[in-house]
Amino acid sequence: MALAEPVRLVGAVMRDESAPALHRCLDSLAPGERAVLGRPTRIDGTVVRLLELGLTPGAQVSLTRRAPGGDPLEVTLRGTRVCLRRADAAAFPIAMFSGGRADER
Amino acid sequence: MTAALPSATHAAPREALAPVVALVGNPNSGKTTLFNALTGLSARVGNYPGITVDHREGNFALADGRRARIVDLPGTYSLVPRGEDEVVAWRGVVGLLPGMRRPDLVVAVVDATHLERNLFLVTQLRELGVPLLVALTVMDTVEADGQRLDVALLSSRIGVPVVPVAAVRAGGLAELGKAISSALRGDAPAPSPMLETLDWAGPELVQQGEVVRKQIGWEAPAAAVGAWAQSMRDANAPERVELPAGVADTVASMPATTDFVERLASARYELVSQWVAGVVERKGAPGEPTRSARMTERIDRLALHPVAGPLLLVVVFGALFQSMFSWAEPLMEAIEALVGATSSVVGGLVPEGLPLVRSLLTDGVVTGVGNVIVFVPQIAVLFFFLGILEDSGYLARAAFLIDRVMARVGLHGKAFVPLLSGFACAVPAIMAARTIESRKDRLVTILVTPLVSCSARLPVYGLMIATVFATRPPLFGVVHVGAVVLVGMYVFSLVAAVVVAAVLKRTVLRSPPPPFVLELPPYRMPRPGQLVRHTATRVRSFLVDAGTVILALTVLLWGVFNFPRSAEMEARQVAEREQVVATTAAEQLDDALSVLEARVAQERLEYSFGGRLGHAIEPVIKPLGFDWKIGVGIIASFAAREVLVSTLGLVYGLGDGSDEESLSLREAIIADRDASGQPVYTPLSALSLMVFFVLAMQCMSTLAAVRRETRSWRWPLFQFAYMTVLAYVGSLVVFQTGRLLGLG
């Protein structure tokens, strides 16, 4: 059960078919929420670096905290902690875990 | 030599040369610690022409008795470079660093507590087929977390030797040493076939790879080189970094894709998860944070707290800033005293009849050496503290907290440390700009840092405020006008730095806004030995590279203010001295002689090139409210801003001991009148002079430091030119506007 949910979401993300689930992007995640990443909507130097740091489609990510003032964000994935700006996080669509606190902010 | 040699870079048979071993790894992977342990005292900073990023190298004794040359390449997450230091790492791996052969072995330093992320770089190294060995660091934390790694399984999966490094200290590296020795004897592993299996990577990729391979003699599979070139293209890397000429064009000519890098990164992480599956044996449920991660998170709940975090930041950097003054100050005073004493001793050794030689040695050479070493305490204190902040992991937290503010003013987050340090002294501050990855962002920071009001300006402000503003009635009955002016100068200097940075970023150094992507490493205890070495390296590089320039400029300035000399004037001064000695009562002789000497110094100064130059520029600086005496002061204070005060003392015939506290100097300044009988120093002209000192590049040591950091005279000369123009225009606007408004 714990694994089935991400697998289903990853499948949906990779096939690009679950339009309703992909309405949100990484920048809208609230602290403590977990999600699965989709394919980035743009490619530039910063997004490439984030991909290299592991923000690949299907990766599970949680938002740890926001800096004072709401920007940048700190996310945890693959056991490491990465900080990125909101504007860059907006390039990554997410699918929410149904078990995660997906209710809107 | 035979014609069979493969290329010019292998001018001698490989076996005859010391093998080259390159260390690569992610930032915070413990690579530098490993390097220090491997090379011990043989480590030194590598200095290759045209490369401004330092990298270090040293020797290591192999099992067969030969010595290997070990090169510590800058930390990087990827071989697709996005910053200047990452270009050096890439060049090092590929064999394109001037002065360094293609490595005979690449040691990938992998943080075992962040295995997946660190192994991403290893996938790239495997695709390129470089001779490779993986060293697993931070193993002590892995054990403390109750985890076990199946190293043999990982090694067989990756296809290269994997060596755990249990304790990074002398004796703890025996296994790694043996593995390096035997890896150097063996053959390079076959490149990982991963790229050939990607059906979405078309034949064009291989073709482009062939082109790039030929351009730089890159001995790697064409598909891997093609994937590198496409990744560089999609990351817009040529916009940010300097690549070998042909490669930059090839990369720029490739069509951009929207999904290549994403698919490639996914495929590589997929490979990594295959590598590590079943390798890590851990206690507790999967996904549960380890003991060390929980401890770091506990600290971060305070350090990154919305309220406590920024407060802690202010406290930490307040302490850093304070230490540059309070810890460095006594040392600087001790150095100045030592220089004074040395000067007397050296002067005493020169025969009485050679005053010019004595003056050259004492006022030129000894003073010049003093001008160099006086910066050592501030540099040492700054880099020692920065080392603690960096090695402990706090600097990354500081960047996270400060990014929003710095982004607003368009500066790189890491420009925060140089700008703050600039309030103490621009020389160490400019050296601290080295952490900024992008060349252009780093240059912008270097170019504007000297605008920030450093402590050498304080004597100038102090003198002007004490003489001109001290007698003004307080504003609103309570606020001291001098205090308002002083605070105003500090705010003005910061505003000037930010505005100039914004202008440079849009013109001379046009580049995209600095990106912000940062890893938060776990907190670690800094190693004192490493801190001391790191600090010593910085001090040495300043002494050697900037010190020579400062010494030469000091001697040059000595010449400007000591030549030419008039034989007639010298003879008259000798005669006057004899007359004073003959006619003055013994108890008043010392006073009389010092008055005479002060006048001699004044006459000499006026007669010298420097004095004449001061007169010559008077028409130019008149519109700023300055007379020739200030002109002389401005020229002399190119040595350092505070020299203005002692030079004014000389010009007013008060001898060479004046400082901003000297009452006689204050009185002379207040009493000074121009040809029409008007006071030379009014609140307006004093303000104009202070504005000039905020904006002008009156510091040869800063220029020497900028030359050291940019490895050319081009940027220090540009900086000198723009700051001088800015200072002139700034003072002109202040003085002329003030006049129009009827002030002064």
Side-chain angles (χ1 to χ4, degrees), chain A residues 14 38-40 42-57 64-74 77-86 88, chain B residues 77-78 80 82 86 114 116-117 120 124 234-236 257-259 261-262 265-266 269 296-297 300-301 304-306 310 397 400-401 403-404 407 514-520:
Chain A
M14 300 302 275
R39 304 175 53 183
R42 64 160 210 266
I43 289 286
D44 57 29
T46 309
V47 173
V48 169
R49 175 47 45 91
L50 290 166
L51 285 164
E52 290 170 338
L53 286 172
L55 276 79
T56 54
T64 314
R65 59 172 62 82
R66 293 163 183 275
D71 198 16
L73 320 174
E74 182 201 324
L77 82 163
R78 300 180 196 275
T80 65
R81 300 164 62 189
V82 174
C83 304
L84 70 166
R85 290 203 183 120
R86 258 160 74 175
D88 297 318
Chain B
Y77 292 110
S78 160
V80 177
R82 234 60 50 74
E86 295 177 359
H114 296 95
E116 284 183 68
R117 217 261 336 280
F120 179 85
Q124 295 181 325
D234 291 350
N236 295 324
T257 75
T258 53
D259 61 350
V261 183
E262 168 225 314
S266 298
Y269 270 105
T296 288
E297 181 51 39
D300 274 339
R301 248 171 250 155
L304 299 178
H305 186 273
R397 272 78 184 175
F400 177 68
L401 291 172
D403 175 68
R404 198 172 140 83
F516 177 84
V517 173
L518 184 79
E519 182 208 357
L520 290 186

Side-chain angles (χ1 to χ4, degrees), chain B residues 395-652:
Chain B
L395 209 54
R397 272 78 184 175
F400 177 68
L401 291 172
I402 205 79
D403 175 68
R404 198 172 140 83
V405 177
M406 297 300 284
R408 281 246 171 110
V409 297
L411 279 164
H412 195 286
K414 289 182 178 170
F416 170 68
V417 172
L419 286 182
L420 177 80
S421 315
F423 280 109
C425 177
V427 170
I430 280 166
M431 292 171 70
R434 223 179 277 178
T435 52
I436 300 171
E437 301 90 3
S438 143
R439 193 184 73 92
K440 286 183 175 174
D441 286 329
R442 182 166 162 232
L443 271 173
V444 168
T445 307
I446 288 176
L447 289 174
V448 304
T449 294
L451 289 168
V452 176
S453 195
C454 68
S455 58
R457 276 132 162 148
L458 261 178
V460 179
Y461 302 156
L463 180 68
M464 289 300 122
I465 287 171
T467 47
V468 182
F469 293 101
T471 53
R472 300 258 133 187
L475 293 174
F476 315 113
V478 281
V479 185
H480 193 289
V481 179
V484 174
V485 171
L486 188 63
V487 171
M489 288 302 133
Y490 276 91
V491 173
F492 173 59
S493 76
L494 198 57
V495 170
V498 168
V499 170
V500 171
V503 171
L504 289 174
K505 192 89 176 124
R506 281 164 184 76
T507 53
V508 194
L509 293 164
R510 175 186 289 277
S511 57
F516 177 84
V517 173
L518 184 79
E519 182 208 357
L520 290 186
Y523 286 107
R524 279 176 200 152
M525 192 56 78
R527 292 163 185 266
Q530 192 155 315
L531 288 174
V532 169
R533 284 171 82 141
H534 172 80
T535 308
T537 304
R538 287 305 175 86
V539 168
R540 196 179 313 130
S541 86
F542 169 78
L543 287 179
V544 173
D545 296 332
T548 43
V549 174
I550 296 173
L551 180 59
L553 288 174
T554 306
V555 173
L556 182 74
L557 270 181
W558 171 86
V560 165
F561 282 99
N562 278 278
F563 290 97
R565 295 194 164 204
S566 142
E568 178 269 325
M569 192 169 88
E570 302 283 321
R572 181 169 51 75
Q573 286 165 353
V574 171
E576 277 178 38
R577 188 187 163 86
E578 280 164 4
Q579 197 194 350
V580 167
V581 173
T583 58
T584 314
E587 60 269 23
Q588 290 161 355
L589 186 60
D590 279 356
D591 287 348
L593 280 179
S594 64
V595 169
L596 178 68
E597 266 161 25
R599 215 186 66 229
V600 166
Q602 180 191 19
E603 285 175 1
R604 236 179 231 160
L605 177 64
E606 258 200 86
Y607 193 79
S608 72
F609 289 120
R612 292 174 199 198
L613 209 52
H615 277 288
I617 63 170
E618 194 180 48
V620 182
I621 58 176
K622 195 98 198 166
L624 314 184
F626 306 161
D627 67 354
W628 69 269
K629 299 191 233 36
I630 297 176
V632 173
I634 286 173
I635 293 161
S637 62
F638 176 63
R641 293 177 174 91
E642 70 271 19
V643 172
L644 175 79
V645 177
S646 57
T647 307
L648 285 178
L650 280 178
V651 175
Y652 284 111

Side-chain angles (χ1 to χ4, degrees), chain B residues 570-732:
Chain B
E570 302 283 321
R572 181 169 51 75
Q573 286 165 353
V574 171
E576 277 178 38
R577 188 187 163 86
E578 280 164 4
Q579 197 194 350
V580 167
V581 173
T583 58
T584 314
E587 60 269 23
Q588 290 161 355
L589 186 60
D590 279 356
D591 287 348
L593 280 179
S594 64
V595 169
L596 178 68
E597 266 161 25
R599 215 186 66 229
V600 166
Q602 180 191 19
E603 285 175 1
R604 236 179 231 160
L605 177 64
E606 258 200 86
Y607 193 79
S608 72
F609 289 120
R612 292 174 199 198
L613 209 52
H615 277 288
I617 63 170
E618 194 180 48
V620 182
I621 58 176
K622 195 98 198 166
L624 314 184
F626 306 161
D627 67 354
W628 69 269
K629 299 191 233 36
I630 297 176
V632 173
I634 286 173
I635 293 161
S637 62
F638 176 63
R641 293 177 174 91
E642 70 271 19
V643 172
L644 175 79
V645 177
S646 57
T647 307
L648 285 178
L650 280 178
V651 175
Y652 284 111
L654 302 170
D656 57 3
S658 300
D659 62 25
E660 69 276 18
E661 309 280 322
S662 306
L663 289 178
S664 52
L665 179 58
R666 291 182 187 177
E667 282 160 12
I669 283 175
I670 294 169
D672 198 10
R673 292 288 180 274
D674 65 14
S676 57
Q678 295 300 309
V680 174
Y681 292 87
T682 62
L684 188 59
S685 70
L687 200 62
S688 168
L689 184 62
M690 283 191 274
V691 165
F692 189 89
F693 269 78
V694 167
L695 299 174
M697 170 49 103
Q698 297 292 95
C699 184
M700 62 181 184
S701 307
T702 302
L703 287 176
V706 173
R707 193 204 68 93
R708 170 31 191 111
E709 294 300 309
T710 62
R711 304 268 163 133
S712 85
W713 277 108
R714 187 172 151 221
W715 291 109
L717 288 176
F718 169 76
Q719 188 173 32
F720 180 75
Y722 101 75
M723 288 179 70
T724 306
V725 170
L726 198 63
Y728 188 86
V729 173
S731 287
L732 187 71

Side-chain angles (χ1 to χ4, degrees), chain A:
Chain A
M1 187 57 211
L3 266 178
E5 177 70 8
V7 167
R8 186 187 66 76
L9 288 170
V10 170
V13 167
M14 300 302 275
R15 287 191 302 275
D16 254 355
E17 64 185 15
S18 55
L22 288 177
H23 269 165
R24 291 179 63 182
C25 285
L26 185 55
D27 60 323
S28 73
L29 219 52
E33 278 188 326
R34 298 205 297 149
V36 172
L37 290 176
R39 304 175 53 183
T41 53
R42 64 160 210 266
I43 289 286
D44 57 29
T46 309
V47 173
V48 169
R49 175 47 45 91
L50 290 166
L51 285 164
E52 290 170 338
L53 286 172
L55 276 79
T56 54
Q60 297 178 41
V61 48
S62 65
L63 188 93
T64 314
R65 59 172 62 82
R66 293 163 183 275
D71 198 16
L73 320 174
E74 182 201 324
V75 298
T76 302
L77 82 163
R78 300 180 196 275
T80 65
R81 300 164 62 189
V82 174
C83 304
L84 70 166
R85 290 203 183 120
R86 258 160 74 175
D88 297 318
F92 290 86
I94 49 170
M96 300 300 299
F97 279 99
S98 53
R101 286 182 281 122
D103 34 297
E104 301 312 308
R105 290 158 298 152

